[in-house]
Amino acid sequence: MTGLEFHRQLTLQPKSPSERAAIFANPGFGNFFTDHMVDICWSEAGGWHRPRIQPYGPIELDPAASVLHYGQEIFEGLKAYRHADGSIWAFRPDANARRLQSSALRMALPELPVEHFLDSLKALISVDAEWVSSEPETSLYLRPFMFAKEAFLGVRPAKKVAYYLIASPAGAYFTGGVAPVSIWLSESYSRAGKGGTGAAKTGGNYAASLVAQNEAYAHGCQQVLFLDSVEGKYLEELGGMNIVLVYKDGSLVTPLSDSILPGITRDSVLQLAEERGHKVTRRAVTIAEWRDGFESGEIVEAFACGTAAVITPIGQVKAKDFTIGSPDTAAGELTMSLREELTDIQYGRRDDSHGWMYRLDG
Ligand code: PLP
Ligand code: COI
């Protein structure tokens, strides 16, 4: 497939270097956006067409656009990293492209070819490269998304769809940086069910998590942990991250479920652990196993992982009737060393022996 030719309309009001520097000084997560965005249209009749780079700004939508009523939407999240020589790289973007395709299949949206996805990333970086900070542990978070824009109130898959890519300078996802986080166990709400959309990256899953996320905040926790919706005892994942438990023999266990998002960070970090000789198991694991294992000393660390959160130690799990750990639990040693290995690869400080990095500039 030949590369897409993006029509370029550049902004007349780019942020100045000093405005950008002020943003870089304290980006947080998801607060600020670059000067441009990319979009590609799709119609049933014409397929993917009209790839464009245009100034970042509001999208005009018909009030009947079906995404606003029935939520036919999917998205991705990945980061662009600046290496010491100034070059800009993404981490396994082909995996995000394929996951967008599987989300599309589940949500009856058209599949964007992997090459178009990669081309869209390069197109945005071709105009917004200065937005990739070289400050330590910062990056440019890339947010591709696709939604039903056909103006039609009947319930069926839309015949007109838009794909967009926006980008946002990112520091740490949690305000405390990499300090251990507290997790609230949701016992009243499920995120996803059997045969549902849990494995797709679609807005509705996040909407479904918000009332539980509010409970988490009310209990002084930063994230919510969901259990399976049938028995309410098997670990699934957090609102926006996967989880991994570390046992005292050095083995790692992560929930196996078809209703959680197959995380690219988790897949990568488990591969790194396996290469170091750690046993890695993907299996059903209950909250009782975590609680008992923590009490007996069998389970020694737990971490959350995802693009936004990278690898974040879990200090405690709070539930209605019990607590695992405490807020001042120290970050796990293996957790932090896997985090370092992963981020070293992402920031180009360590050899990319897996061929995971993909150059976005030049
Ligand atoms: N689970 C959920 C619900 C997420 O939103 C994310 C973040 O994208 C993840 C897991 C981790 O996925 P990844 O490592 O590919 O970012
Ligand atoms: C990501 O890590 O990319 C996500 O989509 C998770 C979200 C909580 C920001």
Side-chain angles (χ1 to χ4, degrees):
M1 193 173 305
T2 54
L4 286 181
E5 284 287 328
F6 286 82
H7 177 262
R8 287 162 75 113
Q9 183 203 340
L10 299 188
T11 180
L12 300 175
Q13 293 158 315
K15 290 265 189 311
S16 68
S18 64
E19 285 172 308
R20 229 181 5 248
I23 291 173
F24 285 174
N26 189 15
F29 181 85
N31 298 313
F32 305 99
F33 300 92
T34 66
D35 292 319
H36 297 93
M37 60 188 188
V38 162
D39 78 302
I40 314 176
C41 298
W42 180 90
S43 67
E44 195 178 60
W48 292 106
H49 61 278
R50 213 173 62 182
R52 283 186 300 194
I53 298 169
Q54 52 174 322
Y56 181 92
I59 297 173
E60 191 168 283
L61 268 189
D62 192 290
S66 53
V67 65
L68 300 176
H69 304 271
Y70 310 126
Q72 198 191 1
E73 186 268 355
I74 56 177
F75 67 97
E76 268 305 322
L78 70 166
K79 285 172 170 173
Y81 306 89
R82 190 171 300 272
H83 288 186
D85 66 358
S87 59
I88 299 171
W89 301 75
F91 179 72
R92 302 185 67 187
D94 53 313
N96 294 93
R98 286 194 304 274
R99 191 170 64 188
L100 188 72
Q101 291 182 328
S102 56
S103 297
L105 284 175
R106 179 62 184 85
M107 300 306 291
L109 283 162
E111 287 176 86
L112 182 74
V114 171
E115 288 306 320
H116 288 8
F117 181 94
L118 299 174
D119 284 351
S120 73
L121 306 182
K122 287 193 278 196
L124 191 61
I125 293 300
S126 77
V127 291
D128 282 345
E130 291 102 331
W131 285 91
V132 187
S133 164
S134 47
E135 296 292 319
E137 307 300 313
T138 62
S139 59
L140 182 64
Y141 183 76
L142 303 169
R143 168 55 62 88
F145 59 105
M146 190 192 293
F147 59 88
K149 72 169 177 196
E150 183 182 357
F152 176 64
L153 292 184
V155 182
R156 60 144 169 76
K159 296 180 181 180
K160 281 190 187 157
V161 166
Y163 165 82
Y164 277 82
L165 169 65
I166 58 173
S168 173
Y173 184 74
F174 294 112
T175 43
V178 260
V181 291
S182 295
I183 304 295
W184 171 250
L185 178 70
S186 171
E187 292 174 270
S188 320
Y189 303 105
S190 301
R191 173 185 175 275
K194 189 168 160 39
T197 57
K201 207 162 167 59
T202 181
N205 292 338
Y206 297 80
S209 77
L210 296 180
V211 64
Q213 182 68 42
N214 265 346
E215 273 191 3
Y217 293 142
H219 288 88
C221 297
Q222 293 100 320
Q223 271 279 305
V224 59
L225 168 62
F226 290 102
L227 300 175
D228 76 283
S229 64
V230 178
E231 297 188 58
K233 64 181 192 186
Y234 296 102
L235 305 182
E236 293 249 300
E237 62 180 330
L238 307 184
M241 290 140 222
N242 293 122
I243 47 171
V244 176
L245 305 179
V246 181
Y247 289 65
K248 76 164 185 273
D249 66 357
S251 61
L252 291 89
V253 174
T254 194
L256 179 70
S257 158
D258 55 14
S259 50
I260 66 181
L261 192 78
I264 296 157
T265 313
R266 180 176 72 153
D267 183 69
S268 310
V269 83
L270 292 179
Q271 189 173 328
L272 295 176
E274 257 169 351
E275 287 165 8
R276 292 185 187 188
H278 292 270
K279 184 168 164 237
V280 169
T281 314
R282 295 165 179 83
R283 64 166 168 84
V285 42
T286 63
I287 184 70
E289 177 177 340
W290 190 352
R291 185 175 58 172
D292 297 346
F294 182 84
E295 271 165 22
S296 69
E298 191 62 25
I299 296 177
V300 291
E301 300 180 24
F303 61 86
C305 54
T307 298
V310 196
I311 295 177
T312 301
I314 297 175
Q316 74 168 350
V317 181
K318 272 195 196 173
K320 201 160 42 70
D321 300 324
F322 63 91
T323 301
I324 305 173
S326 73
D328 38 52
T329 308
E333 212 175 295
L334 182 63
T335 300
M336 295 312 282
S337 108
L338 286 170
R339 184 184 206 282
E340 183 176 283
E341 184 173 355
L342 180 71
T343 53
D344 279 353
I345 295 170
Q346 293 171 331
Y347 287 95
R349 297 185 293 248
R350 192 183 289 239
D351 189 35
D352 173 28
S353 59
H354 306 86
W356 281 340
M357 302 309 291
Y358 178 86
R359 186 142 185 197
L360 294 178
D361 64 322

